[in-house]
């Protein structure tokens, strides 16, 4: 085994891009471990855990490259690959895509002279000053970073509102502004629906269903998962609703969120009633509409659901051999937190308690080892499972390991999981899932997939669906439909 460690001072790269580089280097033949990241405190801890000596004077503005390989040749190839990836155009890779690199800037304000929105993806504790710099430069701000103190979020949103600027986030993973996707974003057609989203994959599911039905969006303004909490008080949600109300291209506003604080939900409803543009509130939770039902209601308001063509029928792709019911427990393995939330709310109606790391009820919380003998659903994208590692929509390996284990477990009645397409996500997420299903063999539990994507996404909706169905999975565009199908496959045991 051989290794190399390099520290490049003052060389900043976007954290999401570095996660992609780390994953691509680590996947090379002969490479045991690879970490390409900014030298933040957390990443230096990961470096030490890999067995490297941590540079004492490394700082958060320095780039660290650490590689452990089986031989010198593999190490050489890995280092060459890192150089190619780091030299690739922003938003692309050395294998093509992206646009030519423009000039570099020392500050957000200087970079934003010809821009409208600043996207910030830096360690959360350091984001406040950069966001203020962007707001002072007249830019709307999308804060992709998580782990931002809530008091910083409140101050930033108030500071932005005073200047007529929107702060999207923190922990805003998805937005589409003027047809341009930011963060994890699907490619969808333009249309009259404006979305205000305190949910990343929730907004993606909504956009993909609208696209499939022939509708489109004007903008999707993410506001961050905490915006509808009691503390933040829907600061960005109310502002984004007003902005969409003033947009002539928006004919319907849909607000999508995980369960908000009741008093905040009431304030959003009051604000909605004052706007000239119709507003549909899609607040998820037990007893509430699921995202598919919310989409169907939006289509009805647009005159696109029902009539001569009948109600919308959502696409599904079936395997050659129909799935069969069996006794046991349901296992849900998700990349998207909102999709997991929605699935739990639906499944709990029929199956009862669903153990989870993001439980619907405090008593349903999974232990630290994420194991339970009963029904369970895991959000692999939760902050507690992504500290220091790529989001599972970029690097699916932790979920794939759990998928293999669940498919081999005799008590598993069915496995439900999501596959999310779009910019920022894995280049071919269906392939490793399909391989895990094939490896499990014909006697393995049935697998139902919620496929969130469009025919315009770079991965290709139909190609991804075909790969999964050919491996034996049943695939649904609607997460709600996939969940109900998975629940139906769980044979009830006599009491």
């Amino acid at each position: 085994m051989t290794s190399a460690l390099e520290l490049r001072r003052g060389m900043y790269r976007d954290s999401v891009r570095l996660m992609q580089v780390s994953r691509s280097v680590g996947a090379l033949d002969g490479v045991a471990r690879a970490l390409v990241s900014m030298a933040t405190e957390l990443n230096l801890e990961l470096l030490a855990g890999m067995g490297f000596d941590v540079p004492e004077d490394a700082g958060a503005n320095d780039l660290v490259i650490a590689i452990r390989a089986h031989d010198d040749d593999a190490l050489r190839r890995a280092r060459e690959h890192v150089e190619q990836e780091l030299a690739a155009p922003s938003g692309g890779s050395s294998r093509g895509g992206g646009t030519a690199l423009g000039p570099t800037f020392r500050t957000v304000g200087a970079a934003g002279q010809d821009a409208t929105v600043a996207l910030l993806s830096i360690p959360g504790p350091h984001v406040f000053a950069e966001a203020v710099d962007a707001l002072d430069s007249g830019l709307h701000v999308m804060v992709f970073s998580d782990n931002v103190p809530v008091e910083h979020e409140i101050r930033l949103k108030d500071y932005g509102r005073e200047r007529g600027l929107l702060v999207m986030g923190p922990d805003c993973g998805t937005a589409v502004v003027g047809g341009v996707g930011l963060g994890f974003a699907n490619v969808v057609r333009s249309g009259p629906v404006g979305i205000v989203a305190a949910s990343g994959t929730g907004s993606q599911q909504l956009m993909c269903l609208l696209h499939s039905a022939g509708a489109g969006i004007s903008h999707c303004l993410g506001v961050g998962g905490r915006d509808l909490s009691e503390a933040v008080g829907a600061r960005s949600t109310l502002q984004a609703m007003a902005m969409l109300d003033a947009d002539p291209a928006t004919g319907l506003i849909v607000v999508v969120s995980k369960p908000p604080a009741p008093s905040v939900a009431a304030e959003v409803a009051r604000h909605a009633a004052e706007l000239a543009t119709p507003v549909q509130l899609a607040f998820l939770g037990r007893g509430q509409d699921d995202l598919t039902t919310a989409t169907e209601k939006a289509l009805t308001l647009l005159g696109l659901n029902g009539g001569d063509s009948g109600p919308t029928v959502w696409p599904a792709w079936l395997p050659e051999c129909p799935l069969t019911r069996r006794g046991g427990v349901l296992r849900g393995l998700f990349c998207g937190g909102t999709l997991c939330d929605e699935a739990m709310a639906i499944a709990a109606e029929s199956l009862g308690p669903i153990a989870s790391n993001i439980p619907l009820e405090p008593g349903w919380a999974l232990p630290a080892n994420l194991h339970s003998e009963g029904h369970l659903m895991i959000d692999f994208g939760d902050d507690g499972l992504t500290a220091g590692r790529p989001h599972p929509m970029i690097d699916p390996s932790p979920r794939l390991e759990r998928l293999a284990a669940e498919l081999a477990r005799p008590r598993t009645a069915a496995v439900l999981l999501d596959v999310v397409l779009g910019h920022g996500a894995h280049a071919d997420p269906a392939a490793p899932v399909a391989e895990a299903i094939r490896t499990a063999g014909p006697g393995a539990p049935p697998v139902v997939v919620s496929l969130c994507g469009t025919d315009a996404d770079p991965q290709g909706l139909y190609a991804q669906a075909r790969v999964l169905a050919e491996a034996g999975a049943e695939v649904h565009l609607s997460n709600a439909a996939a969940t109900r199908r998975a629940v139906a496959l769980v044979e009830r045991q006599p009491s």
Side-chain angles (χ1 to χ4, degrees), residues 78-97:
R79 297 181 76 167
E80 291 175 352
H81 188 79
V82 170
E83 297 303 327
Q84 293 171 358
E85 292 293 320
L86 293 178
S90 177
S93 74
S94 60
R95 291 173 296 279

Side-chain angles (χ1 to χ4, degrees), residues 147-157 170 226 229 231-232:
N147 295 312
V148 176
V150 68
E151 58 270 22
H152 288 186
E153 177 174 352
I154 293 169
R155 289 174 62 191
L156 285 173
K157 290 182 173 181
R226 293 187 305 209
S229 66
V232 183

Side-chain angles (χ1 to χ4, degrees), residues 180-464:
V180 178
L182 304 173
F184 296 115
N186 300 95
V187 181
V188 296
R189 60 172 54 86
S190 297
V193 181
I195 300 173
V196 180
S199 160
T201 50
S203 63
Q204 288 185 267
Q205 170 79 159
L206 185 63
M207 286 189 286
C208 291
L209 292 174
L210 287 169
H211 178 93
S212 176
I217 69 164
S218 55
H219 308 279
C220 174
L221 304 179
V223 295
R226 293 187 305 209
D227 194 69
L228 276 77
S229 66
E230 195 77 51
V232 183
R235 280 168 162 82
S236 288
T237 297
L238 300 176
Q239 189 179 355
M241 291 168 67
M243 294 171 70
L244 290 174
D245 185 46
D247 174 31
T250 300
L252 172 67
I253 299 170
V254 179
V255 182
V256 59
S257 172
K258 296 178 183 179
S263 62
V264 177
E267 176 59 26
V268 172
R270 283 193 295 269
H271 185 64
E274 298 171 353
L275 300 180
T277 308
V279 178
Q280 178 186 350
L281 302 180
F283 296 151
L284 301 179
R286 300 175 74 183
Q288 302 295 318
D289 287 342
D290 57 57
L291 289 167
T292 302
T293 301
T295 304
E296 290 168 350
K297 289 184 176 181
L299 292 169
T300 297
L301 291 172
L302 295 171
L304 296 176
N305 191 33
D308 294 337
S309 60
T312 300
V313 177
W314 302 108
W317 297 264
L318 305 181
E320 183 176 342
C321 296
L323 304 185
T324 58
R325 297 176 66 195
R326 55 191 282 171
V329 293
L330 176 63
R331 306 312 226 181
L333 310 176
F334 285 84
C335 295
T338 301
L339 300 180
C340 184
D341 261 335
E342 179 183 57
M344 288 191 294
I346 293 171
E349 293 178 0
S350 300
L351 302 179
I354 308 290
S356 178
N357 60 325
I358 55 166
L360 296 177
E361 303 283 351
W364 299 359
L366 276 172
N369 64 7
L370 300 181
H371 285 281
S372 169
E373 291 302 312
H375 308 295
L376 69 77
M377 295 193 186
I378 300 172
D379 171 20
F380 284 89
D382 181 65
D383 290 350
L385 299 182
T386 57
R389 67 172 307 123
H391 191 281
M393 290 198 311
I394 298 172
D395 178 9
S397 53
R399 185 175 72 161
L400 290 170
E401 293 173 6
R402 186 60 181 264
L403 174 60
E406 296 297 350
L407 290 175
R409 186 168 285 118
R411 273 186 51 78
T412 301
V415 176
L416 171 67
L417 54 87
D418 61 346
V419 171
V420 183
L421 311 182
H423 291 300
H426 189 285
D428 186 13
V433 172
E435 180 60 28
I437 296 171
R438 283 192 293 268
T439 300
V447 176
V448 182
V449 176
S450 164
L451 181 59
C452 184
T454 75
D455 54 358
D457 281 331
Q459 298 90 346
L461 175 70
Y462 300 115
Q464 294 283 295

Side-chain angles (χ1 to χ4, degrees), residues 96-190:
T99 56
L101 287 170
T104 57
F105 301 91
R106 298 295 296 176
T107 67
V108 173
Q113 293 175 2
D114 297 318
T116 303
V117 179
L119 192 160
L120 303 180
S121 179
I122 58 179
H126 306 287
V127 85
F128 183 83
E130 299 299 337
V132 169
D133 186 18
L135 293 168
D136 283 340
S137 301
L139 299 173
H140 302 287
V141 175
M142 175 178 170
V143 182
F144 188 89
S145 316
D146 57 9
N147 295 312
V148 176
V150 68
E151 58 270 22
H152 288 186
E153 177 174 352
I154 293 169
R155 289 174 62 191
L156 285 173
K157 290 182 173 181
D158 288 344
Y159 193 73
R161 186 178 63 246
E162 292 168 2
R163 287 154 180 75
L165 298 169
L166 180 66
V167 174
M168 297 180 279
D171 201 15
C172 175
T174 299
V176 178
V177 180
V180 178
L182 304 173
F184 296 115
N186 300 95
V187 181
V188 296
R189 60 172 54 86
S190 297

